[in-house]
Amino acid sequence: MSNLANTVDSESTHFLNQLAGEEKIRELKVAGVKVVLVVLSSRGMVFDRAALEQKIHLTYPSSKVYFYSTLAIPLSEVAPEKIDLLIDFTGPSQRRKWFFARHLRSRTKVTVGRNAGFFRAYIYDRVFDEFKEKQLPKDLLERERFAQREVLRLAGVPLSQKGELLQDLGKEVGSEFARAQKHA
C-alpha cells in the first residue's frame, strides 16, 4: 500500500480524497424521498434554483422539489401538506416568518438546516451550527457558500467540484516530455 501511495501524484490523491468525501455524504442520503422543500436563504444563494433542483434530483431522482422564501412565500408551486425532506438555508439574523420552522417541522419527516434561532438545533433532525464552526470564512458570501454546502452535505446531496483550479503542471509535464524524447 505504501508503494501505491508513493506512485500516485498529488492531483490524483486530491480527486481520490474528493470521491471518498462524496461517498461519505451519500451515506447521509434519506430513504424514500418523494417531496423536497427547499427554503432559500434571504442573504444570498450559491446556486440558482435550477442548479439546486438538478443537484437534488441527482441524489433523489424520483422527487419533486418545491422552493419557498424565508417569509413562507412559495417561489414555484405550493408544496403539498406532507413533505419527506426539508432543506432550510435560512441563516442567523435573516428575516423569516415567525414559527415557520416549527410549522414545517410538523409537516416533514426529515429536516435539515442551519441553527438560526427559535430552537432549530432541537427541532431539526440534522443541523449545521455556524456558531460552533472554527474556520468560518470572514467574507459574507463565502460564509454563505460554506454554510449552504454543509447543509446540502447533511441532506446527502454531494457537490462535485469539477471546476477547482489546481497547480499548473504544464511546464513540468513539458520538460519531462522533452527529457523522455531525448532519451528515447
Side-chain angles (χ1 to χ4, degrees):
M1 182 70 179
S2 62
N3 290 339
L4 179 63
N6 293 335
T7 60
V8 177
D9 62 53
S10 62
E11 186 177 359
S12 297
T13 305
H14 169 76
F15 286 115
L16 287 172
N17 290 337
Q18 184 177 353
L19 286 172
E22 286 181 14
E23 286 302 317
K24 286 181 184 176
I25 293 170
R26 284 189 178 94
E27 292 174 3
L28 295 171
K29 183 178 174 183
V30 179
V33 172
K34 301 286 183 205
V35 178
V36 178
L37 177 62
V38 179
V39 179
L40 300 175
S41 170
S42 63
R43 185 165 290 148
M45 287 304 302
V46 176
F47 304 103
D48 61 4
R49 287 187 354 206
L52 268 175
E53 189 169 3
Q54 183 250 359
K55 291 179 184 324
I56 292 169
H57 277 298
L58 288 173
T59 304
Y60 304 106
S62 61
S63 66
K64 175 79 173 137
V65 182
Y66 299 91
F67 293 97
Y68 275 46
S69 72
T70 55
L71 296 175
I73 299 169
L75 302 176
S76 55
E77 303 171 32
V78 177
E81 191 59 33
K82 297 293 181 187
I83 301 166
D84 296 319
L85 176 63
L86 168 68
I87 301 173
D88 189 356
F89 290 125
T90 306
S93 72
Q94 292 184 16
R95 189 174 172 198
R96 59 192 167 267
K97 186 174 176 181
W98 287 91
F99 302 110
F100 184 48
R102 287 192 181 272
H103 171 71
L104 290 176
R105 178 65 190 121
S106 67
R107 297 171 46 190
T108 308
K109 287 183 195 174
V110 178
T111 54
V112 179
R114 295 162 71 178
N115 187 10
F118 291 110
F119 304 104
R120 286 188 193 195
Y122 302 107
I123 63 174
Y124 279 10
D125 298 314
R126 301 174 186 172
V127 177
F128 171 66
D129 194 351
E130 300 170 51
F131 304 114
K132 294 181 181 177
E133 189 65 34
K134 299 283 186 227
Q135 297 181 349
L136 209 56
K138 300 291 183 203
D139 181 51
L140 183 66
L141 292 176
E142 285 298 318
R143 177 179 288 201
E144 280 297 307
R145 177 177 289 119
F146 182 81
Q148 290 175 22
R149 291 168 145 270
E150 289 299 310
V151 170
L152 285 173
R153 183 186 65 77
L154 290 173
V157 179
L159 300 174
S160 295
Q161 292 303 310
K162 305 299 184 217
E164 276 187 31
L165 294 175
L166 298 174
Q167 178 185 359
D168 183 17
L169 300 175
K171 291 182 180 179
E172 292 176 23
V173 170
S175 64
E176 289 176 16
F177 182 70
R179 269 188 255 131
Q181 280 188 339
K182 193 183 286 185
H183 294 290

